[in-house]
Amino acid sequence: MQNHKIVYSSFNIEVFAKVPINALNILDVGCGTGIMGKVLKQQRKDRIICGVTYSKDEYVIANQVLDKVWIADINKETPMFDGTFDCIIFSHVLEHTYQPEKVLADFSSFLNKEGVIIVALPNILHFRQRIKFLSGSFQYSANGGLMDITHYRFYDWVTAQKMIISAGLRIIAKEGHGNFPLPFFRVLFPVLGKIIDRRASRLWPGLFGFQFVFAAKK
């Protein structure tokens, strides 16, 4: 993973919604500044939330809100944890690794027997990106997004599932989250627009899903 000064502090509500309410020991791989763990702790005060980050800047911040944080380049090593976890989160992390299947398999050895791994991945074939490809544009971005310059892997709806399964995991839930092109309609009817977004992402996740969220077990 490339060492850059970006400090990740976004909160992925779709990933949060997939974390089982009975999960008490949780590991957030690519925890950023720890905002996900902070909200998970607010949901249940008895939770132990740990994190892994590659950034020393993120570590300083996350270490103030999480119970324990490791600094590690998961392309090269898997931290040795004290115990196992009820839930392990990979939110927009695996696309930044050289061998995501190996990373998933290595971390899953620290998952409880009935534990859940949550994986969120960007969809390289979101309809807006398809239009760019069709127009002949294949440009990396230094400002994040689907074509972020630090992405080593790209996934669509099918290959994302194959990657998770090849890591020795069983997918128990899967969904796409995104939007349907409604530029003017959305302004006039915002509530109905959100309903259409959810329906389109559910029916055609590979086309309208900006991200995929999976829950998997051993």
Side-chain angles (χ1 to χ4, degrees), residues 74-122:
I74 61 175
N75 274 316
K76 300 178 180 178
E77 61 177 333
T78 302
M80 294 304 297
F81 304 107
D82 300 330
T84 57
F85 300 95
D86 302 319
C87 181
I88 300 178
I89 300 171
F90 289 89
S91 180
H92 291 264
V93 172
L94 293 171
E95 65 272 19
H96 298 272
T97 64
Y98 306 143
Q99 297 177 290
E101 296 91 342
K102 183 179 184 304
V103 172
L104 267 181
D106 289 347
F107 273 88
S108 67
S109 65
F110 295 96
L111 187 69
N112 290 339
K113 184 177 180 181
E114 297 301 322
V116 177
I117 287 183
I118 310 297
V119 175
L121 295 165

Side-chain angles (χ1 to χ4, degrees), residues 2 25 58 61 81 110 121 136 139 212 216:
Q2 296 182 14
N25 297 299
E58 291 178 346
I61 303 172
F81 304 107
F110 295 96
L121 295 165
Q139 299 292 326
F212 306 133

Side-chain angles (χ1 to χ4, degrees), residues 59-217:
Y59 170 84
V60 172
I61 303 172
N63 200 42
Q64 299 176 32
V65 295
L66 303 185
D67 294 284
K68 189 168 183 179
V69 183
W70 287 263
I71 296 180
D73 182 350
I74 61 175
N75 274 316
K76 300 178 180 178
E77 61 177 333
T78 302
M80 294 304 297
F81 304 107
D82 300 330
T84 57
F85 300 95
D86 302 319
C87 181
I88 300 178
I89 300 171
F90 289 89
S91 180
H92 291 264
V93 172
L94 293 171
E95 65 272 19
H96 298 272
T97 64
Y98 306 143
Q99 297 177 290
E101 296 91 342
K102 183 179 184 304
V103 172
L104 267 181
D106 289 347
F107 273 88
S108 67
S109 65
F110 295 96
L111 187 69
N112 290 339
K113 184 177 180 181
E114 297 301 322
V116 177
I117 287 183
I118 310 297
V119 175
L121 295 165
N123 174 24
I124 193 59
L125 292 183
H126 181 262
F127 75 90
R128 288 197 177 93
Q129 193 61 50
R130 293 191 192 203
I131 293 173
K132 291 181 180 180
F133 289 157
L134 287 172
S135 67
S137 174
F138 191 99
Q139 299 292 326
Y140 286 99
S141 169
N143 300 311
L146 297 178
M147 294 294 293
D148 187 276
I149 197 169
T150 64
H151 288 183
Y152 294 111
R153 299 285 182 170
F154 298 94
Y155 294 100
D156 63 12
W157 182 241
V158 175
T159 57
Q161 296 177 66
K162 287 183 177 179
M163 182 270 290
I164 295 171
I165 293 171
S166 67
L169 299 171
R170 174 174 55 92
I171 297 173
I172 60 172
K174 56 186 178 181
E175 56 192 34
H177 297 277
N179 54 75
F180 188 84
L182 299 166
F184 301 106
F185 184 89
R186 191 182 307 281
V187 175
L188 297 174
F189 307 100
V191 175
L192 185 56
K194 290 181 180 179
I195 294 174
I196 295 174
D197 286 342
R198 289 195 296 269
R199 180 62 63 86
S201 297
R202 186 180 303 115
L203 294 176
W204 302 284
L207 181 60
F208 298 111
F210 186 82
Q211 72 165 350
F212 306 133
V213 179
F214 302 96
K217 290 189 174 185

